[in-house]
Amino acid sequence: LSTSASDLKNILIKNDYLYLLYRSKVSRQYVGDDTNISADLEELINNGQGQLINQFNNDWVSAFHVDDNLNIYVSDINNHRVVKYAYGAYNQDPVLIAGDENGNSGNSLNLLSEPRGMVVASDGTVYVADWNNQRVMKFTEGTAEGEVILDQRVRGALYLDDNDALYMVTWNSGYVYKKEPGKTIEQLTTDYIRSSTGLLVDSSEGIYVYNRDNSRIVYYAKGQKDSPKVISEGFNLGQDSYYGGAQLQFDQNNNVLF
């Protein structure tokens, strides 16, 4: 795959397809082992850059998600909204999940201002890191207003486990919070590791955090509240630190991808 790094904003893998979020479109490419399936790059959504409801104006902190039904959710930072493209209808206008259909920002419960992170639960509930409004919001399709889950600023560091428990790392303090369905929010860590932008939780409920200010990845075992283990040197990249924003993902063998 060869593409412009300045235009490509995010990636994910679903069912042996690599999905790519660009500034103004979504594409995918088959990366599996079946030689009967074309490995050509396929454009799924491409209506140009702009503010119309079927257009994108993504940046590097824009997020997207492909669910088990192959519906595509996009959190468009510069258009201040989250939209859902239904599978089989990628060429039609999307459903507006949150924000303004004309791309305007705001601070009421149905609006967003520079969303910098999004995850989607198994029932379609959408959680958004509403950056400028300094809150994490919960939205349900067809509901007029969202709900404030956490009134702190989060930058990209959202994660949903297999039980739809929501994990969040705050930008200003670096504390990890957990919100299980039907339960009150819980603070899991007490270390001050501000400017954290990546989050991952393994099957043992251990927590990986990318701490940008200190250019490192740290790991909290389940129940550990402070003094996490620094694991960034285990990536064999010839150095122990990294700079900039980051995503953390597991591959099919549960290795951590940075």
PDB file of all heavy atoms in Angstrom, residues 185-209:
ATOM      1  N   ILE A 185     -19.069   5.546  37.597  1.00  0.00           N
ATOM      2  CA  ILE A 185     -17.711   5.615  37.086  1.00  0.00           C
ATOM      3  C   ILE A 185     -16.709   5.355  38.212  1.00  0.00           C
ATOM      4  O   ILE A 185     -16.948   5.698  39.375  1.00  0.00           O
ATOM      5  CB  ILE A 185     -17.475   6.982  36.410  1.00  0.00           C
ATOM      6  CG1 ILE A 185     -16.225   6.941  35.541  1.00  0.00           C
ATOM      7  CG2 ILE A 185     -17.409   8.099  37.441  1.00  0.00           C
ATOM      8  CD1 ILE A 185     -16.110   8.121  34.621  1.00  0.00           C
ATOM      9  N   GLU A 186     -15.580   4.738  37.866  1.00  0.00           N
ATOM     10  CA  GLU A 186     -14.565   4.342  38.844  1.00  0.00           C
ATOM     11  C   GLU A 186     -13.200   4.835  38.383  1.00  0.00           C
ATOM     12  O   GLU A 186     -12.823   4.647  37.224  1.00  0.00           O
ATOM     13  CB  GLU A 186     -14.549   2.817  38.968  1.00  0.00           C
ATOM     14  CG  GLU A 186     -13.496   2.250  39.886  1.00  0.00           C
ATOM     15  CD  GLU A 186     -13.459   0.729  39.864  1.00  0.00           C
ATOM     16  OE1 GLU A 186     -14.163   0.128  39.036  1.00  0.00           O
ATOM     17  OE2 GLU A 186     -12.705   0.174  40.669  1.00  0.00           O
ATOM     18  N   GLN A 187     -12.442   5.481  39.278  1.00  0.00           N
ATOM     19  CA  GLN A 187     -11.072   5.874  38.977  1.00  0.00           C
ATOM     20  C   GLN A 187     -10.144   4.718  39.302  1.00  0.00           C
ATOM     21  O   GLN A 187     -10.116   4.210  40.420  1.00  0.00           O
ATOM     22  CB  GLN A 187     -10.663   7.108  39.779  1.00  0.00           C
ATOM     23  CG  GLN A 187      -9.255   7.598  39.457  1.00  0.00           C
ATOM     24  CD  GLN A 187      -8.875   8.859  40.208  1.00  0.00           C
ATOM     25  OE1 GLN A 187      -9.734   9.643  40.620  1.00  0.00           O
ATOM     26  NE2 GLN A 187      -7.578   9.079  40.400  1.00  0.00           N
ATOM     27  N   LEU A 188      -9.352   4.284  38.310  1.00  0.00           N
ATOM     28  CA  LEU A 188      -8.518   3.106  38.478  1.00  0.00           C
ATOM     29  C   LEU A 188      -7.079   3.419  38.861  1.00  0.00           C
ATOM     30  O   LEU A 188      -6.420   2.599  39.496  1.00  0.00           O
ATOM     31  CB  LEU A 188      -8.514   2.279  37.180  1.00  0.00           C
ATOM     32  CG  LEU A 188      -9.863   1.754  36.700  1.00  0.00           C
ATOM     33  CD1 LEU A 188      -9.674   0.925  35.432  1.00  0.00           C
ATOM     34  CD2 LEU A 188     -10.564   0.931  37.772  1.00  0.00           C
ATOM     35  N   THR A 189      -6.543   4.576  38.438  1.00  0.00           N
ATOM     36  CA  THR A 189      -5.143   4.892  38.707  1.00  0.00           C
ATOM     37  C   THR A 189      -5.022   6.268  39.354  1.00  0.00           C
ATOM     38  O   THR A 189      -5.924   7.105  39.255  1.00  0.00           O
ATOM     39  CB  THR A 189      -4.309   4.868  37.408  1.00  0.00           C
ATOM     40  OG1 THR A 189      -4.749   5.911  36.541  1.00  0.00           O
ATOM     41  CG2 THR A 189      -4.440   3.530  36.704  1.00  0.00           C
ATOM     42  N   THR A 190      -3.878   6.481  39.998  1.00  0.00           N
ATOM     43  CA  THR A 190      -3.656   7.736  40.726  1.00  0.00           C
ATOM     44  C   THR A 190      -2.386   8.455  40.285  1.00  0.00           C
ATOM     45  O   THR A 190      -2.082   9.531  40.792  1.00  0.00           O
ATOM     46  CB  THR A 190      -3.578   7.466  42.236  1.00  0.00           C
ATOM     47  OG1 THR A 190      -2.530   6.518  42.495  1.00  0.00           O
ATOM     48  CG2 THR A 190      -4.902   6.921  42.759  1.00  0.00           C
ATOM     49  N   ASP A 191      -1.611   7.879  39.367  1.00  0.00           N
ATOM     50  CA  ASP A 191      -0.387   8.528  38.901  1.00  0.00           C
ATOM     51  C   ASP A 191      -0.711   9.705  37.993  1.00  0.00           C
ATOM     52  O   ASP A 191      -1.644   9.646  37.178  1.00  0.00           O
ATOM     53  CB  ASP A 191       0.497   7.543  38.137  1.00  0.00           C
ATOM     54  CG  ASP A 191       1.440   6.791  39.049  1.00  0.00           C
ATOM     55  OD1 ASP A 191       1.686   7.280  40.157  1.00  0.00           O
ATOM     56  OD2 ASP A 191       1.925   5.720  38.647  1.00  0.00           O
ATOM     57  N   TYR A 192       0.112  10.761  38.110  1.00  0.00           N
ATOM     58  CA  TYR A 192      -0.043  11.943  37.274  1.00  0.00           C
ATOM     59  C   TYR A 192       0.828  11.755  36.029  1.00  0.00           C
ATOM     60  O   TYR A 192       2.035  11.968  36.064  1.00  0.00           O
ATOM     61  CB  TYR A 192       0.384  13.191  38.040  1.00  0.00           C
ATOM     62  CG  TYR A 192       0.260  14.478  37.280  1.00  0.00           C
ATOM     63  CD1 TYR A 192      -0.974  15.096  37.101  1.00  0.00           C
ATOM     64  CD2 TYR A 192       1.388  15.097  36.742  1.00  0.00           C
ATOM     65  CE1 TYR A 192      -1.086  16.283  36.415  1.00  0.00           C
ATOM     66  CE2 TYR A 192       1.285  16.291  36.054  1.00  0.00           C
ATOM     67  CZ  TYR A 192       0.049  16.884  35.884  1.00  0.00           C
ATOM     68  OH  TYR A 192      -0.059  18.056  35.199  1.00  0.00           O
ATOM     69  N   ILE A 193       0.213  11.290  34.938  1.00  0.00           N
ATOM     70  CA  ILE A 193       0.939  11.107  33.679  1.00  0.00           C
ATOM     71  C   ILE A 193       0.146  11.814  32.580  1.00  0.00           C
ATOM     72  O   ILE A 193      -0.496  11.191  31.737  1.00  0.00           O
ATOM     73  CB  ILE A 193       1.182   9.621  33.352  1.00  0.00           C
ATOM     74  CG1 ILE A 193      -0.102   8.799  33.457  1.00  0.00           C
ATOM     75  CG2 ILE A 193       2.254   9.033  34.256  1.00  0.00           C
ATOM     76  CD1 ILE A 193       0.055   7.377  32.941  1.00  0.00           C
ATOM     77  N   ARG A 194       0.199  13.146  32.584  1.00  0.00           N
ATOM     78  CA  ARG A 194      -0.626  13.962  31.704  1.00  0.00           C
ATOM     79  C   ARG A 194      -0.243  13.778  30.237  1.00  0.00           C
ATOM     80  O   ARG A 194       0.803  13.240  29.908  1.00  0.00           O
ATOM     81  CB  ARG A 194      -0.516  15.439  32.094  1.00  0.00           C
ATOM     82  CG  ARG A 194       0.791  16.091  31.774  1.00  0.00           C
ATOM     83  CD  ARG A 194       0.785  17.565  32.179  1.00  0.00           C
ATOM     84  NE  ARG A 194      -0.316  18.310  31.595  1.00  0.00           N
ATOM     85  CZ  ARG A 194      -0.267  18.853  30.388  1.00  0.00           C
ATOM     86  NH1 ARG A 194       0.820  18.716  29.642  1.00  0.00           N
ATOM     87  NH2 ARG A 194      -1.296  19.534  29.916  1.00  0.00           N
ATOM     88  N   SER A 195      -1.116  14.240  29.371  1.00  0.00           N
ATOM     89  CA  SER A 195      -0.931  14.187  27.917  1.00  0.00           C
ATOM     90  C   SER A 195      -0.841  12.755  27.409  1.00  0.00           C
ATOM     91  O   SER A 195       0.006  12.426  26.581  1.00  0.00           O
ATOM     92  CB  SER A 195       0.299  14.996  27.490  1.00  0.00           C
ATOM     93  OG  SER A 195       0.201  16.330  27.917  1.00  0.00           O
ATOM     94  N   SER A 196      -1.718  11.892  27.894  1.00  0.00           N
ATOM     95  CA  SER A 196      -1.787  10.520  27.398  1.00  0.00           C
ATOM     96  C   SER A 196      -2.821  10.433  26.280  1.00  0.00           C
ATOM     97  O   SER A 196      -3.934  10.936  26.414  1.00  0.00           O
ATOM     98  CB  SER A 196      -2.146   9.569  28.534  1.00  0.00           C
ATOM     99  OG  SER A 196      -1.114   9.536  29.502  1.00  0.00           O
ATOM    100  N   THR A 197      -2.431   9.801  25.164  1.00  0.00           N
ATOM    101  CA  THR A 197      -3.279   9.805  23.973  1.00  0.00           C
ATOM    102  C   THR A 197      -3.626   8.415  23.447  1.00  0.00           C
ATOM    103  O   THR A 197      -4.347   8.309  22.459  1.00  0.00           O
ATOM    104  CB  THR A 197      -2.595  10.589  22.836  1.00  0.00           C
ATOM    105  OG1 THR A 197      -1.366   9.929  22.482  1.00  0.00           O
ATOM    106  CG2 THR A 197      -2.306  12.019  23.259  1.00  0.00           C
ATOM    107  N   GLY A 198      -3.114   7.368  24.047  1.00  0.00           N
ATOM    108  CA  GLY A 198      -3.410   6.014  23.595  1.00  0.00           C
ATOM    109  C   GLY A 198      -3.770   5.130  24.765  1.00  0.00           C
ATOM    110  O   GLY A 198      -3.217   5.272  25.860  1.00  0.00           O
ATOM    111  N   LEU A 199      -4.700   4.182  24.541  1.00  0.00           N
ATOM    112  CA  LEU A 199      -5.197   3.328  25.630  1.00  0.00           C
ATOM    113  C   LEU A 199      -5.585   1.974  25.071  1.00  0.00           C
ATOM    114  O   LEU A 199      -6.199   1.877  24.011  1.00  0.00           O
ATOM    115  CB  LEU A 199      -6.406   3.998  26.287  1.00  0.00           C
ATOM    116  CG  LEU A 199      -7.162   3.217  27.361  1.00  0.00           C
ATOM    117  CD1 LEU A 199      -6.276   2.967  28.574  1.00  0.00           C
ATOM    118  CD2 LEU A 199      -8.415   3.981  27.781  1.00  0.00           C
ATOM    119  N   LEU A 200      -5.224   0.932  25.811  1.00  0.00           N
ATOM    120  CA  LEU A 200      -5.548  -0.437  25.423  1.00  0.00           C
ATOM    121  C   LEU A 200      -5.702  -1.262  26.687  1.00  0.00           C
ATOM    122  O   LEU A 200      -4.967  -1.057  27.664  1.00  0.00           O
ATOM    123  CB  LEU A 200      -4.424  -1.009  24.556  1.00  0.00           C
ATOM    124  CG  LEU A 200      -4.700  -2.233  23.693  1.00  0.00           C
ATOM    125  CD1 LEU A 200      -5.812  -1.962  22.697  1.00  0.00           C
ATOM    126  CD2 LEU A 200      -3.431  -2.630  22.951  1.00  0.00           C
ATOM    127  N   VAL A 201      -6.644  -2.206  26.701  1.00  0.00           N
ATOM    128  CA  VAL A 201      -6.889  -3.054  27.862  1.00  0.00           C
ATOM    129  C   VAL A 201      -6.851  -4.510  27.403  1.00  0.00           C
ATOM    130  O   VAL A 201      -7.552  -4.884  26.448  1.00  0.00           O
ATOM    131  CB  VAL A 201      -8.248  -2.741  28.523  1.00  0.00           C
ATOM    132  CG1 VAL A 201      -8.462  -3.623  29.748  1.00  0.00           C
ATOM    133  CG2 VAL A 201      -8.323  -1.268  28.909  1.00  0.00           C
ATOM    134  N   ASP A 202      -6.045  -5.338  28.068  1.00  0.00           N
ATOM    135  CA  ASP A 202      -5.934  -6.741  27.647  1.00  0.00           C
ATOM    136  C   ASP A 202      -6.966  -7.608  28.352  1.00  0.00           C
ATOM    137  O   ASP A 202      -7.784  -7.129  29.158  1.00  0.00           O
ATOM    138  CB  ASP A 202      -4.504  -7.251  27.846  1.00  0.00           C
ATOM    139  CG  ASP A 202      -4.059  -7.303  29.306  1.00  0.00           C
ATOM    140  OD1 ASP A 202      -4.921  -7.358  30.204  1.00  0.00           O
ATOM    141  OD2 ASP A 202      -2.832  -7.294  29.548  1.00  0.00           O
ATOM    142  N   SER A 203      -6.944  -8.908  28.059  1.00  0.00           N
ATOM    143  CA  SER A 203      -7.968  -9.827  28.574  1.00  0.00           C
ATOM    144  C   SER A 203      -7.884 -10.029  30.074  1.00  0.00           C
ATOM    145  O   SER A 203      -8.849 -10.474  30.704  1.00  0.00           O
ATOM    146  CB  SER A 203      -7.859 -11.186  27.863  1.00  0.00           C
ATOM    147  OG  SER A 203      -6.568 -11.743  28.047  1.00  0.00           O
ATOM    148  N   SER A 204      -6.741  -9.694  30.683  1.00  0.00           N
ATOM    149  CA  SER A 204      -6.591  -9.797  32.136  1.00  0.00           C
ATOM    150  C   SER A 204      -6.942  -8.485  32.827  1.00  0.00           C
ATOM    151  O   SER A 204      -6.749  -8.362  34.033  1.00  0.00           O
ATOM    152  CB  SER A 204      -5.154 -10.204  32.486  1.00  0.00           C
ATOM    153  OG  SER A 204      -4.249  -9.140  32.222  1.00  0.00           O
ATOM    154  N   GLU A 205      -7.446  -7.506  32.062  1.00  0.00           N
ATOM    155  CA  GLU A 205      -7.783  -6.168  32.527  1.00  0.00           C
ATOM    156  C   GLU A 205      -6.550  -5.339  32.874  1.00  0.00           C
ATOM    157  O   GLU A 205      -6.623  -4.349  33.600  1.00  0.00           O
ATOM    158  CB  GLU A 205      -8.771  -6.198  33.702  1.00  0.00           C
ATOM    159  CG  GLU A 205     -10.100  -6.839  33.340  1.00  0.00           C
ATOM    160  CD  GLU A 205     -11.107  -6.784  34.469  1.00  0.00           C
ATOM    161  OE1 GLU A 205     -11.130  -5.783  35.217  1.00  0.00           O
ATOM    162  OE2 GLU A 205     -11.880  -7.754  34.607  1.00  0.00           O
ATOM    163  N   GLY A 206      -5.405  -5.738  32.338  1.00  0.00           N
ATOM    164  CA  GLY A 206      -4.224  -4.896  32.396  1.00  0.00           C
ATOM    165  C   GLY A 206      -4.367  -3.747  31.409  1.00  0.00           C
ATOM    166  O   GLY A 206      -4.980  -3.896  30.352  1.00  0.00           O
ATOM    167  N   ILE A 207      -3.795  -2.601  31.743  1.00  0.00           N
ATOM    168  CA  ILE A 207      -4.028  -1.371  30.986  1.00  0.00           C
ATOM    169  C   ILE A 207      -2.712  -0.838  30.421  1.00  0.00           C
ATOM    170  O   ILE A 207      -1.754  -0.604  31.156  1.00  0.00           O
ATOM    171  CB  ILE A 207      -4.674  -0.301  31.880  1.00  0.00           C
ATOM    172  CG1 ILE A 207      -6.008  -0.802  32.432  1.00  0.00           C
ATOM    173  CG2 ILE A 207      -4.866   1.004  31.113  1.00  0.00           C
ATOM    174  CD1 ILE A 207      -6.576   0.073  33.535  1.00  0.00           C
ATOM    175  N   TYR A 208      -2.681  -0.638  29.104  1.00  0.00           N
ATOM    176  CA  TYR A 208      -1.561   0.008  28.425  1.00  0.00           C
ATOM    177  C   TYR A 208      -1.934   1.462  28.155  1.00  0.00           C
ATOM    178  O   TYR A 208      -3.020   1.746  27.653  1.00  0.00           O
ATOM    179  CB  TYR A 208      -1.262  -0.666  27.091  1.00  0.00           C
ATOM    180  CG  TYR A 208      -0.844  -2.108  27.176  1.00  0.00           C
ATOM    181  CD1 TYR A 208      -1.789  -3.132  27.263  1.00  0.00           C
ATOM    182  CD2 TYR A 208       0.503  -2.462  27.134  1.00  0.00           C
ATOM    183  CE1 TYR A 208      -1.413  -4.458  27.315  1.00  0.00           C
ATOM    184  CE2 TYR A 208       0.895  -3.795  27.188  1.00  0.00           C
ATOM    185  CZ  TYR A 208      -0.068  -4.782  27.282  1.00  0.00           C
ATOM    186  OH  TYR A 208       0.307  -6.100  27.333  1.00  0.00           O
ATOM    187  N   VAL A 209      -1.015   2.385  28.458  1.00  0.00           N
ATOM    188  CA  VAL A 209      -1.246   3.804  28.220  1.00  0.00           C
ATOM    189  C   VAL A 209      -0.050   4.384  27.474  1.00  0.00           C
ATOM    190  O   VAL A 209       1.106   4.160  27.882  1.00  0.00           O
ATOM    191  CB  VAL A 209      -1.444   4.578  29.545  1.00  0.00           C
ATOM    192  CG1 VAL A 209      -1.570   6.084  29.273  1.00  0.00           C
ATOM    193  CG2 VAL A 209      -2.680   4.078  30.287  1.00  0.00           C
TER     194      VAL A 209
END
